[in-house]
């Protein structure tokens, strides 16, 4: 079975990404704060605070998605409810970040985002496919027996 290892791998990757995103945004906020940079007259303190807040918010979001993936790995059942919504939204976010990363950072960042996107989609689809099983496969339509004609 490949389901559980994929769920654990997605969990580890999302937690690492949560820490990485939060750390990079916090670092960028510190750089802006210490050098008193300004962009088109915007307040440097506001920009630094916004960068740190954004890092915390996205870090918590990816950590919450990691918790949803960990719940899938522990229970060995498909995600449901909020967990499923979180994992689907994480897949969409990684697709968008991958598209932006190609133009802004380069192909290695794009490749990382696509690999994470693929892992999340694999997590979502393997549980769906194996739980559907042959019982839920498409059945041919049942035709009612023909009524005898009376003449």
């Amino acid at each position: 079975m490949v389901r559980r290892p994929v769920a654990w791998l997605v969990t580890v990757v999302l937690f690492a990404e949560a820490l990485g995103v939060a750390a990079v945004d916090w670092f960028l906020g510190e750089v802006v704060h210490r050098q008193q940079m300004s962009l088109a007259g915007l307040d440097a303190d506001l920009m630094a605070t916004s960068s740190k807040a954004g890092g915390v918010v996205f870090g918590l979001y990816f950590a919450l998605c990691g918790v949803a993936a960990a719940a899938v790995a522990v229970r060995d059942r498909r995600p449901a409810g909020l967990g499923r919504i979180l994992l689907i939204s994480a897949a969409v976010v990684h697709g968008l970040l991958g598209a932006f990363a190609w133009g802004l950072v380069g192909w290695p960042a794009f490749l990382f985002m696509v690999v994470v996107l693929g892992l999340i989609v694999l997590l979502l689809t393997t549980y769906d496919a194996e739980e559907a099983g042959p019982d839920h496969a498409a059945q041919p339509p049942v035709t009612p027996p023909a009524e005898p004609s009376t003449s």
Side-chain angles (χ1 to χ4, degrees), residues 112-123:
F112 174 75
M113 290 296 161
V114 169
V115 166
V116 176
L117 168 66
L119 285 171
I120 295 171
V121 169
L122 183 64
L123 169 69

Side-chain angles (χ1 to χ4, degrees), residues 92-118:
V92 170
V93 166
H94 280 87
L96 292 171
L97 287 177
F100 289 128
W102 179 271
L104 297 175
V105 182
W107 68 267
F110 170 77
L111 184 63
F112 174 75
M113 290 296 161
V114 169
V115 166
V116 176
L117 168 66

Side-chain angles (χ1 to χ4, degrees), residues 128-138:
D128 286 345
E130 289 187 18
E131 286 191 8
D135 294 339
H136 294 69

Side-chain angles (χ1 to χ4, degrees), residues 72-83:
V72 169
V74 167
R75 293 182 304 163
D76 198 26
R77 289 192 330 214
R78 66 182 247 176
L82 182 62

Side-chain angles (χ1 to χ4, degrees), residues 8-9 25 28 34 44 48 51-52 89 91-92 103 112 135 146:
W8 283 116
L9 183 61
D25 280 359
L28 290 175
R34 289 186 182 179
S51 177
K52 291 176 182 179
S89 70
V92 170
F112 174 75
D135 294 339

Side-chain angles (χ1 to χ4, degrees), residues 19-109:
L19 289 174
V21 165
V24 166
D25 280 359
W26 194 273
F27 173 74
L28 290 175
E30 280 298 311
V31 168
V32 169
H33 177 72
R34 289 186 182 179
Q35 295 192 3
Q36 292 297 315
M37 296 178 183
S38 178
L39 180 66
L42 293 174
D43 184 22
D45 289 332
L46 181 64
M47 288 179 11
T49 304
S50 297
S51 177
K52 291 176 182 179
V56 169
V57 167
F58 271 108
L60 289 174
Y61 166 70
F62 284 133
L64 193 58
C65 293
V67 168
V72 169
V74 167
R75 293 182 304 163
D76 198 26
R77 289 192 330 214
R78 66 182 247 176
L82 182 62
R84 186 168 182 82
I85 292 169
L86 280 171
L87 290 172
I88 290 171
S89 70
V92 170
V93 166
H94 280 87
L96 292 171
L97 287 177
F100 289 128
W102 179 271
L104 297 175
V105 182
W107 68 267

